[in-house]
Amino acid sequence: HQPLLTPAKMHLLSTSATVSTFLFLLTFLFHSSPTSASYSETCSGIVPFRQRADTISITDFGGVGDGKTLNTKAFREAIYRIQHIKRRGGTLLYVPPGVYLTESFNLTSHMTLYLAAGAVIKATQRLWNWPLIAPLPSYGRGRELPGGRYISFIHGDGVRDVIITGENGTIDGQGDVWWNMWRQRTLQFTRPNLVEFLNSRNIIISNVIFKNSPFWNIHPVYCSNVVVRYVTILAPRDSPNTDGIDPDSSSNVCIEDSYISTGDDLVAVKSGWDEYGISYGRPSSDITIRRLTGSSPFAGIAVGSETSGGVRNVLAEHINLFNMGIGIHIKTNIGRGGIIKNLTMSSVYIENARTGIKISGDVGDHPDENFNSNALPVVKGITIKNVWGVHVLQAGLIHGLSNSPFTDICFYDINLHGEAGSSVRSSPPWKCSDVSGFAHQVSPWPCSQLSSQESGSCTNY
């Protein structure tokens, strides 16, 4: 297993000017590799890409890309026109080169938001007019604070057939003002996501740069048929809670061919928070994550910790992770409930990480004191295979629950090395409790709870 992108190549991706180079490099690597057949696989066909015959420009509605003029009225009027003067096949809203400062705005069905090369949609840092919306029913409150939450910068609720794309233009959340409020504990409500789709379907997000989100970057929640492909997501390593892509109580989600470097998990699959998520009861399912490269002080591929609606049928493959806290992290907690099952992580390269693989039942906080301590999560049917790691301080940790042990944890062909290519030196390299499963050709050899005899779902390998 060799990395698709070396750290030297990754350095080139730290500025938006090199995104097109990155996409070219991805294409070159995927199609010149000896295993190019696997790199040609795609799940993006779950949503057809629509060409819109009708096109309007933000400048038609008074948009000015000088970086100073507030364009909220222009965006809202343009989208009002799309919503109320319907054109066959929908309408494309074109954003030409320039910096378009704006407050938050809502998208509508049957539209494409198209950012030209050099186009920047930038969030204002004048926050006194930022709208509040109700908390998500599967969370019961804002994720950070009780009560409502600030609406995402670009928002879609109950929409369908929506595309955000272009020529690697940028959506800039200017999140530093929000991060500072979080650090100073002056927030009154939960920070806004950069882009959120709620109760929506048939969504495509592609060929756009997302940077400096106030909170989570791309958040499809209660959605189906979502494709996120050829995106770049950037935020400083010390920016709080700037998750890259968080599919949440959503189904049929395809995440491919992207680069993410943020201050929190690159991709985190979620499905609701404690008693509220259990009551709402909508799982995340049928999620594919493929050909992702990135860096974070937290996790590369994560499930949780909000998993109360359940998570099932997740495939993550051809993942390249550099300078990580944790490579793969499946996380839940007492009070969460929910079933996490049928997850496969394959062909993962990890370089410079605190922990290679972590599956833990004691992670994450609670929305309030009303969670049910008897609501224990079930974690079973986890397959992790073909993982290669260098400069990994601790190979792995599996911490199940005494009253709900993790079962059918299947490890195949995993090599996690410490400094200078040697085996991990931490003592012990693996820590395990309340888990059962199978291990084959794992170095350093994992804990004794993982048998050398296949059983349960591990026989399906």
Side-chain angles (χ1 to χ4, degrees):
H1 301 278
Q2 295 298 320
L4 293 178
L5 295 175
T6 65
K9 291 173 182 173
M10 287 179 59
H11 178 71
L12 294 174
L13 306 178
S14 61
T15 64
S16 61
T18 59
V19 172
S20 59
T21 303
F22 164 59
L23 296 175
F24 171 81
L25 177 60
L26 278 178
T27 303
F28 173 79
L29 287 164
F30 294 157
H31 290 89
S32 62
S33 165
T35 58
S36 60
S38 63
Y39 292 121
S40 65
E41 293 182 61
T42 180
C43 50
S44 60
I46 62 173
V47 183
F49 191 94
R50 291 186 176 273
Q51 300 291 340
R52 314 283 190 195
D54 184 47
T55 300
I56 58 177
S57 173
I58 194 65
T59 58
D60 299 337
F61 298 84
V64 178
D66 60 3
K68 298 177 182 179
T69 303
L70 195 64
N71 289 277
T72 310
K73 184 172 181 287
F75 277 104
R76 292 179 180 174
E77 286 187 354
I79 293 167
Y80 182 90
R81 184 270 194 197
I82 296 170
Q83 183 177 12
H84 290 89
I85 304 179
K86 295 180 172 61
R87 297 290 189 244
R88 184 178 181 87
T91 297
L92 182 148
L93 174 56
Y94 179 76
V95 183
V99 179
Y100 297 85
L101 190 69
T102 178
E103 298 171 313
S104 65
F105 59 89
N106 294 299
L107 302 179
T108 190
S109 296
H110 309 298
M111 73 167 288
T112 296
L113 178 63
Y114 189 98
L115 285 77
V120 180
I121 301 176
K122 181 175 284 190
T124 180
Q125 291 189 318
R126 293 187 292 180
L127 308 183
W128 53 84
N129 199 34
W130 206 286
L132 283 170
I133 58 174
L136 294 167
S138 59
Y139 284 72
R141 46 160 277 184
R143 184 58 186 84
E144 297 186 281
L145 293 164
R149 59 200 184 104
Y150 293 107
I151 197 170
S152 59
F153 177 47
I154 297 178
H155 195 76
D157 188 353
V159 300
R160 59 191 178 97
D161 180 26
V162 176
I163 301 171
I164 300 176
T165 190
E167 303 161 14
N168 294 318
T170 299
I171 297 174
D172 184 352
Q174 291 211 97
D176 56 328
V177 64
W178 296 97
W179 308 333
N180 289 333
M181 291 168 65
W182 178 85
R183 293 177 182 120
Q184 296 161 8
R185 299 186 178 182
T186 58
L187 280 168
Q188 294 183 300
F189 301 97
T190 296
R191 286 171 284 160
N193 303 310
L194 193 57
V195 175
E196 180 176 83
F197 285 97
L198 176 69
N199 298 310
S200 299
R201 59 188 172 93
N202 293 350
I203 307 298
I204 297 175
I205 303 173
S206 72
N207 299 89
V208 174
I209 303 161
F210 299 88
K211 61 184 293 187
N212 298 331
S213 175
F215 195 56
W216 301 343
N217 275 270
I218 299 174
H219 184 219
V221 56
Y222 318 144
C223 289
S224 61
N225 299 345
V226 177
V227 173
V228 183
R229 196 178 190 207
Y230 299 133
V231 302
T232 299
I233 302 176
L234 304 172
R237 284 181 72 87
D238 65 347
S239 56
N241 310 107
T242 50
D243 296 25
I245 306 168
D246 286 2
D248 197 342
S249 292
S250 292
S251 59
N252 296 327
V253 178
C254 172
I255 301 168
E256 290 183 334
D257 303 309
S258 295
Y259 175 79
I260 305 174
S261 178
T262 61
D264 212 316
D265 298 342
L266 305 185
V267 174
V269 181
K270 302 176 181 291
S271 67
W273 202 11
D274 286 6
E275 67 269 28
Y276 304 104
I278 294 170
S279 176
Y280 195 76
R282 180 159 177 175
S284 277
S285 64
D286 303 301
I287 295 172
T288 300
I289 306 157
R290 183 183 284 126
R291 298 183 296 272
L292 181 78
T293 296
S295 174
S296 167
F298 287 88
I301 303 300
V303 173
S305 68
E306 305 89 342
T307 55
S308 298
V311 175
R312 62 175 184 262
N313 304 337
V314 176
L315 170 65
E317 62 180 358
H318 305 298
I319 310 296
N320 286 264
L321 305 172
F322 300 86
N323 302 321
M324 300 300 305
I326 302 169
I328 297 167
H329 195 184
I330 299 163
K331 46 186 172 175
T332 184
N333 206 342
I334 292 171
R336 288 286 192 270
I339 300 176
I340 301 172
K341 66 177 183 178
N342 298 340
L343 313 185
T344 300
M345 316 288 179
S346 175
S347 300
V348 179
Y349 177 83
I350 304 168
E351 184 174 312
N352 294 328
R354 186 175 67 250
T355 304
I357 298 167
K358 187 174 182 180
I359 307 174
S360 45
D362 59 351
V363 174
D365 53 358
H366 303 285
D368 50 42
E369 299 302 317
N370 298 321
F371 69 91
N372 179 4
S373 59
N374 294 317
L376 300 177
V378 174
V379 178
K380 64 180 182 180
I382 312 297
T383 298
I384 301 177
K385 59 185 180 179
N386 302 331
V387 178
W388 184 270
V390 296
H391 305 303
V392 177
L393 296 182
Q394 182 176 34
L397 184 150
I398 308 174
H399 180 69
L401 299 171
S402 58
N403 293 326
S404 184
F406 299 166
T407 60
D408 295 332
I409 308 301
C410 318
F411 288 169
Y412 302 86
D413 304 321
I414 296 173
N415 288 272
L416 297 167
H417 299 285
E419 295 299 319
S422 62
S423 295
V424 176
R425 298 294 186 183
S426 58
S427 180
W430 287 83
K431 292 183 179 180
C432 302
S433 62
D434 299 300
V435 60
S436 63
F438 169 76
H440 172 73
Q441 292 187 350
V442 177
S443 175
W445 187 251
C447 32
S448 59
Q449 292 94 328
L450 299 183
S451 167
S452 59
Q453 299 295 319
E454 286 185 302
S455 62
S457 67
C458 297
T459 60
N460 297 325
Y461 171 66

